[in-house]
Amino acid sequence: MDEEYDVIVLGTGLKECILSGLLSVDGLKVLHMDRNDYYGGDSTSLNLNQLWKRFRGEDKPPAHLGSSKDYNVDMVPKFMMANGTLVRTLIHTDVTKYLSFKAVDGSFVFSKGKIHKVPATDMEALKSPLMGLFEKRRARNFFIFVQDYNEADPKTHQGLDLTTVTTKELIAKYGLNDDTVDFIGHALALHRDDRHLNEPALDTVKRMKLYSESLARFQGGSPYIYPLYGLGELPQGFARLSAVYGGTYMLSKPECKVEFDMEGKACGVTSEGETAKCKKVVCDPSYLTNKVRKIGKVARAIAIMSHPIPNTNESHSVQIILPQKQLGRKSDMYVFGCSYTHNVAPKGKFIAFVSTEAESDNIQSELKPGIDLLGPVDELFFDMYDRYEPVNEPSLDNCFISTSYDATTHFETTVTDVLNMYTMITGKAVDLSVDLSAASAAEEEY
């Protein structure tokens, strides 16, 4: 291990694995270590026995739940936007050849106590029971503006400069009511709070376009895709990719201690008495606890069920967003459902997650609005974890630390963090102008 590397990556969570893959493809010499004996860190996938051990402490789950090895339960479950940044990153690195994707059946929003399909186009807006007759027409006009909007073509801007006009001002122009604004902002544009209303509208319009373009891509009921066997496949895919480019992976490396030189810059990592030298260290918050601060905590429930989530058109894979305003909360709640059709559970079994940014210490009552949507459950596990963000200055200490995973059930925030870190590490941006058809090959098989 006594070699010098350009970068040492600590932790095999999804963010660290994507970065390790991107940096290896760039030709950097990468050493990737993890104190655990499995891939994935906080974003690992567990079989039923592992899940049981983690949450129940006993080794034996009941036989009626089926075979342990048929379960691949993601600890940080997130869907991918079909045309989104993560899929572009996967294609850019060619890691897609190690993965098979399947479209997600449904995308829903909770409004006035009911679950509704998220309307994403002008035609869907006209059919949606989310809105009354006149509101539908107003929403349709707004959707047509968004669909036709092209940043490079002023003729499509209708005299509006979306870099200065706020989202609130743009929506006011179309006279949309608060409930419509709510589902557009949270279920289509995937904002996590209402700050976007006072920010330039361009970001929201781009997010809406991404949603509708992703939706059109697979002609399915949602804009999302998800790997067969769950997200645990991703870190392993990136590990393979890194190896192809000469990267080195080492699991079960205890006490990975970052070493600093006289100037306070990271210069190596020591484990089991050996030190590998490096120019930069990339890691999750658990490896450099003195350089991060706590920013919140995520509350979540994991359910094993024998049926799809009710009122979702029998969807075997589904996302439901419960906007904060509908629940009288400060942050949105997310329901994520998947099943044996994505090979994450035995035939006839369904997995559901409910997650939110915790606003109290009473997880069960806090998650109740989401759990109430699930119907009868076979098993229910509760969990809470702290979220951290880096407070160091990477230009001074050469340490690049990822932010903990948030409560969202989609990948857009995660991959933004990764790409920002990549730019800080390398001084350049990832080229994401890729042929998107490379990630749809698996789609045709179903």
Side-chain angles (χ1 to χ4, degrees):
M1 202 167 103
D2 297 324
E3 283 188 59
E4 176 139 10
Y5 296 86
D6 293 312
V7 179
I8 295 180
V9 182
L10 301 177
T12 51
L14 193 62
K15 291 184 181 184
E16 288 70 38
C17 286
I18 298 173
L19 280 166
S20 158
L22 287 170
L23 298 169
S24 299
V25 170
D26 274 357
L28 296 181
K29 189 174 178 185
V30 177
L31 170 63
H32 200 146
M33 298 197 287
D34 195 317
R35 61 169 84 88
N36 299 312
D37 60 356
Y38 55 84
Y39 285 109
D42 290 339
S43 52
T44 191
S45 254
L46 303 182
N47 65 29
L48 187 60
N49 288 341
Q50 291 167 325
L51 187 73
W52 215 258
K53 196 168 170 190
R54 177 160 175 174
F55 293 108
R56 295 275 197 263
E58 309 149 28
D59 281 345
K60 285 280 172 276
H64 70 81
L65 292 177
S67 164
S68 168
K69 68 177 187 343
D70 288 339
Y71 284 87
N72 294 290
V73 183
D74 289 323
M75 288 297 94
V76 182
K78 292 177 189 285
F79 290 135
M80 301 174 196
M81 194 67 91
N83 280 20
T85 323
L86 178 58
V87 171
R88 289 174 184 274
T89 307
L90 297 179
I91 295 167
H92 169 81
T93 57
D94 206 22
V95 91
T96 37
K97 63 171 172 261
Y98 304 123
L99 302 163
S100 295
F101 294 100
K102 191 169 188 296
V104 171
D105 296 339
S107 172
F108 293 82
V109 62
F110 181 80
S111 182
K112 298 184 195 151
K114 286 202 174 92
I115 298 176
H116 297 278
K117 183 181 187 305
V118 177
T121 64
D122 57 311
M123 297 315 290
E124 286 186 347
L126 284 178
K127 294 181 199 151
S128 175
L130 266 172
M131 299 169 282
L133 182 64
F134 295 110
E135 184 70 3
K136 280 179 181 170
R137 289 183 188 159
R138 290 189 286 265
R140 177 174 182 255
N141 290 337
F142 178 58
F143 280 170
I144 288 172
F145 167 72
V146 170
Q147 281 159 4
D148 291 347
Y149 184 86
N150 175 351
E151 211 177 339
D153 181 2
K155 285 204 285 294
T156 66
H157 298 185
Q158 296 189 4
L160 299 170
D161 178 359
L162 295 194
T163 59
T164 55
V165 172
T166 66
T167 309
K168 195 185 259 177
E169 290 165 344
L170 174 64
I171 283 170
K173 183 173 184 294
Y174 288 87
L176 301 177
N177 71 32
D178 283 353
D179 286 323
T180 307
V181 171
D182 214 23
F183 87 72
I184 285 174
H186 293 259
L188 274 174
L190 302 180
H191 290 293
R192 289 181 292 163
D193 52 40
D194 282 338
R195 276 181 307 196
H196 65 280
L197 292 173
N198 297 312
E199 292 171 353
L202 183 61
D203 178 47
T204 296
V205 167
K206 281 182 170 172
R207 285 163 171 251
M208 288 179 69
K209 287 179 81 67
L210 172 63
Y211 187 104
S212 57
E213 286 159 11
S214 297
L215 183 70
R217 174 126 171 253
F218 291 137
Q219 311 291 313
S222 89
Y224 303 109
I225 60 175
Y226 191 62
L228 293 178
Y229 303 101
L231 295 176
E233 297 295 291
L234 276 172
Q236 295 183 50
F238 277 106
R240 284 189 205 161
L241 176 84
S242 187
V244 167
Y245 285 90
T248 308
Y249 266 72
M250 295 180 182
L251 296 178
S252 302
K253 297 299 283 185
E255 298 159 12
C256 295
K257 179 174 177 285
V258 180
E259 304 289 353
F260 294 90
D261 63 17
M262 303 291 282
E263 294 174 355
K265 290 184 187 296
C267 60
V269 174
T270 301
S271 174
E272 299 179 299
E274 291 184 290
T275 302
K277 297 189 184 70
C278 66
K279 301 184 184 81
K280 290 171 180 168
V281 168
V282 173
C283 65
D284 71 43
S286 70
Y287 287 87
L288 283 172
T289 52
N290 60 336
K291 291 182 181 282
V292 296
R293 68 179 178 123
K294 185 175 162 183
I295 49 170
K297 51 190 179 179
V298 172
R300 59 184 176 169
I302 304 169
I304 300 175
M305 315 192 302
S306 298
H307 59 85
I309 297 173
N311 306 310
T312 61
N313 303 337
E314 298 290 305
S315 294
H316 280 226
S317 49
V318 64
Q319 175 177 265
I320 307 167
I321 293 181
L322 293 77
Q324 54 185 59
K325 203 179 274 180
Q326 301 293 328
L327 306 176
R329 291 173 50 81
K330 296 189 199 72
S331 46
D332 292 356
M333 192 173 293
Y334 303 88
V335 174
F336 171 106
C338 56
S339 73
Y340 60 92
T341 56
H342 272 90
N343 302 354
V344 298
K347 193 146 181 59
K349 292 293 177 194
F350 295 75
I351 311 281
F353 292 81
V354 181
S355 58
T356 190
E357 189 70 24
E359 294 174 11
S360 74
D361 288 326
N362 189 338
I363 306 187
Q364 301 196 15
S365 68
E366 194 154 355
L367 294 173
K368 189 175 185 306
I371 293 169
D372 285 349
L373 301 179
L374 302 181
V377 300
D378 301 343
E379 294 289 341
L380 193 58
F381 308 91
F382 287 98
D383 186 29
M384 180 122 49
Y385 65 88
D386 292 332
R387 293 205 311 119
Y388 297 92
E389 70 176 10
V391 291
N392 65 315
E393 179 45 69
S395 61
L396 299 178
D397 62 12
N398 286 345
C399 296
F400 300 84
I401 307 169
S402 61
T403 301
S404 305
Y405 299 95
D406 61 28
T408 60
T409 44
H410 50 77
F411 260 114
E412 297 308 295
T413 50
T414 301
V415 77
T416 302
D417 186 30
V418 168
L419 295 178
N420 289 342
M421 286 176 71
Y422 175 85
T423 301
M424 283 197 309
I425 296 163
T426 63
K428 58 185 186 179
V430 181
D431 176 17
L432 295 177
S433 54
V434 293
D435 175 13
L436 282 161
S437 63
S440 58
E443 217 37 49
E444 274 76 77
E445 296 166 25
Y446 293 91

